[in-house]
Amino acid sequence: MTKGEVIVRSGERDKVEGGQSLFDKWLDDKFREGKDPDYFKSFFELTEDVGLQGECHVAQTVDGYLLNIFRVKTENLMEGAPVVFMQHGLFGSADNFVMNGEKSPAFMLAKAGYDVWVGNSRGSRYSKGHISLDSEKDYDYWKFSIDSMANSDLPAAIDYVRGQTGRSKVSFFAHSQGTTQIVMAMATDLEFWKQRLNLVLACPPVIISDDKNVLYDSGQRVYPFLERTLANYGIFEMFGQNWDNLIKTVKVFVPKLQDQIVSQYTVGDLNDPARAQVFFGHYPHGASVRNLAHLGQIVSRGELIHYDFMDEEQNLKAYGSRQAKKIDISKIRDIPFAMFTGKYDRVVSVEKNRLFAEMIPAVTYFEEVEADHITFLIGRDMSYMEKVKGLLQKHN
């Protein structure tokens, strides 16, 4: 016990004052052993560590969700500097783009003179606000799929950034499901996005996940039924704050299970193990069960589709048809689109991404990188970012 702590009796369990049980305190201490200090740092602490400035802004969507958007910039950022908006993937947050020290994508772009804004999807670690719904109590808060993020979150975030910066067009940098979101958005309302984007960078792109991946192969069978099943137990969010003790317990007592999950994202020595440890201290974080159900439907169907309510009347009301509609990605054109795909990516294969590149007329650049799924965030070799900066310079 440290000085000043008081043990109190509560039922049959000893507790440290403040409500934390002795087991929870032991677990927390054990969990912290041997961890890099960055494992526990916030987005803004990591930003300050590399000499950059961070700001938090709030954008409101048409359906009342409050999204925290983080800005990263140098102290002497030029007025009217070109803007890059970065969007994370499934179970992620803005943290994903600042996990690699000086070589973090957000920091590299900020230090190259770009005005960097990093999004947080609804339901993620930093965006759980709403004008009337409580994410901890209201099931209605969690009734959103990838459709909502594509067609409500992204327009609200991008228009907020445009309003703050005075730039009519911004560049969009997507990781993983961030690509799914922007592809769905552009395919749904291309004219809207032609007025707002000058470039899309997918690093790496995920439009439909690979069913050869263990997580997604099992997911395509389970996810479509997941929402209704978990709703019966009052579970609407995956990997939120209420999962923290479970995640800690698994990492402390069953490290091999964690290793198996990590192996689905990272390969060999492409990534610095120390930075990988930091990354998985900030991942996974919250996502709606419906998001996962939607993902499972897409993988199972083998094509990009709107969320299937699994109810003909609800589909009819939402889409004008009894079945969830396919999203036509061949409509996406006129906005330069670059794809950087990982040769060793276990979430989506090079072959699948090459197929999508051929289907999207807007794709003007395609490169295979010596990378797995998270090398683009925490790689030892981040030289692909030089190509990214070259494309940004060309289109800004």
Side-chain angles (χ1 to χ4, degrees), residues 80-146:
V83 176
V84 179
F85 182 88
M86 311 184 83
Q87 182 57 51
H88 64 80
L90 179 66
F91 296 134
S93 70
D95 288 352
N96 295 166
F97 297 106
V98 297
M99 294 286 99
N100 206 17
E102 296 277 359
K103 296 193 296 182
S104 299
F107 298 157
M108 294 177 76
L109 293 177
K111 291 191 174 186
Y114 292 94
D115 190 355
V116 178
W117 295 71
V118 192
N120 288 287
S121 296
R122 62 179 68 193
S124 64
R125 179 182 188 183
Y126 297 116
S127 288
K128 292 191 173 177
H130 193 280
I131 58 173
S132 61
L133 299 174
D134 186 334
S135 63
E136 294 185 6
K137 299 177 181 177
D138 297 322
Y139 174 32
D140 284 347
Y141 175 91
W142 295 101
K143 290 182 178 179
F144 61 81
S145 65
I146 305 172

Side-chain angles (χ1 to χ4, degrees), residues 8-304:
V8 296
R9 180 68 63 182
S10 176
E12 295 182 353
R13 297 186 70 182
D14 286 332
K15 291 193 174 183
V16 177
E17 188 174 35
Q20 187 182 41
S21 71
L22 287 177
F23 172 77
D24 288 345
K25 186 178 185 306
W26 174 86
L27 180 64
D28 191 58
D29 291 343
K30 190 73 175 175
F31 180 68
R32 288 175 174 271
E33 286 181 2
K35 299 289 195 303
D36 187 298
D38 286 356
Y39 190 101
F40 304 100
K41 288 184 179 179
S42 71
F43 181 96
F44 296 105
E45 289 172 325
L46 293 166
T47 300
E48 291 172 3
D49 284 349
V50 297
L52 293 169
Q53 296 182 344
E55 299 174 357
C56 181
H57 295 250
V58 182
Q60 181 177 319
T61 69
V62 293
D63 50 353
Y65 286 79
L66 302 175
L67 310 175
N68 281 317
I69 307 171
F70 298 160
R71 188 182 196 180
V72 180
K73 61 179 185 177
T74 57
E75 185 177 358
N76 56 351
L77 179 70
M78 290 180 59
E79 186 175 348
V83 176
V84 179
F85 182 88
M86 311 184 83
Q87 182 57 51
H88 64 80
L90 179 66
F91 296 134
S93 70
D95 288 352
N96 295 166
F97 297 106
V98 297
M99 294 286 99
N100 206 17
E102 296 277 359
K103 296 193 296 182
S104 299
F107 298 157
M108 294 177 76
L109 293 177
K111 291 191 174 186
Y114 292 94
D115 190 355
V116 178
W117 295 71
V118 192
N120 288 287
S121 296
R122 62 179 68 193
S124 64
R125 179 182 188 183
Y126 297 116
S127 288
K128 292 191 173 177
H130 193 280
I131 58 173
S132 61
L133 299 174
D134 186 334
S135 63
E136 294 185 6
K137 299 177 181 177
D138 297 322
Y139 174 32
D140 284 347
Y141 175 91
W142 295 101
K143 290 182 178 179
F144 61 81
S145 65
I146 305 172
D147 285 301
S148 301
M149 292 182 279
N151 298 316
S152 293
D153 289 7
L154 293 187
I158 295 298
D159 276 352
Y160 178 88
V161 170
R162 291 169 68 236
Q164 290 292 307
T165 62
R167 298 282 296 196
S168 61
K169 291 188 177 183
V170 307
S171 302
F172 193 98
F173 184 112
H175 179 260
S176 195
Q177 188 182 266
T179 310
T180 318
Q181 293 180 34
I182 193 59
V183 165
M184 291 178 69
M186 291 191 296
T188 302
D189 191 351
L190 182 62
E191 291 305 313
F192 177 92
W193 291 104
K194 283 168 62 175
Q195 297 171 28
R196 288 161 172 79
L197 300 182
N198 55 30
L199 174 66
V200 174
L201 298 151
C203 308
V206 173
I207 298 173
I208 301 178
S209 304
D210 214 328
D211 58 9
K212 295 178 182 178
N213 180 284
V214 173
L215 298 178
Y216 295 102
D217 180 46
S218 59
Q220 70 172 311
R221 293 188 289 270
V222 175
Y223 291 162
F225 308 100
L226 195 65
E227 185 176 7
R228 292 182 182 181
T229 302
L230 293 183
N232 293 331
Y233 297 94
I235 300 173
F236 315 113
E237 176 190 16
M238 299 293 286
F239 300 118
Q241 287 181 323
N242 56 335
W243 290 65
D244 283 356
N245 266 10
L246 174 60
I247 293 172
K248 286 180 183 179
T249 302
V250 169
K251 288 182 176 181
V252 168
F253 290 105
V254 200
K256 288 187 177 180
L257 176 59
Q258 177 188 331
D259 293 343
Q260 284 297 313
I261 295 172
V262 171
S263 72
Q264 297 303 308
Y265 292 95
T266 183
V267 177
D269 62 353
L270 293 169
N271 309 309
D272 182 340
R275 302 323 296 175
Q277 182 196 71
V278 171
F279 178 86
F280 285 103
H282 296 252
Y283 183 95
H285 282 296
S288 73
V289 174
R290 182 168 292 188
N291 183 348
L292 295 180
H294 191 184
L295 173 64
Q297 292 169 359
I298 291 170
V299 175
S300 182
R301 284 267 296 263
E303 56 188 6
L304 196 61

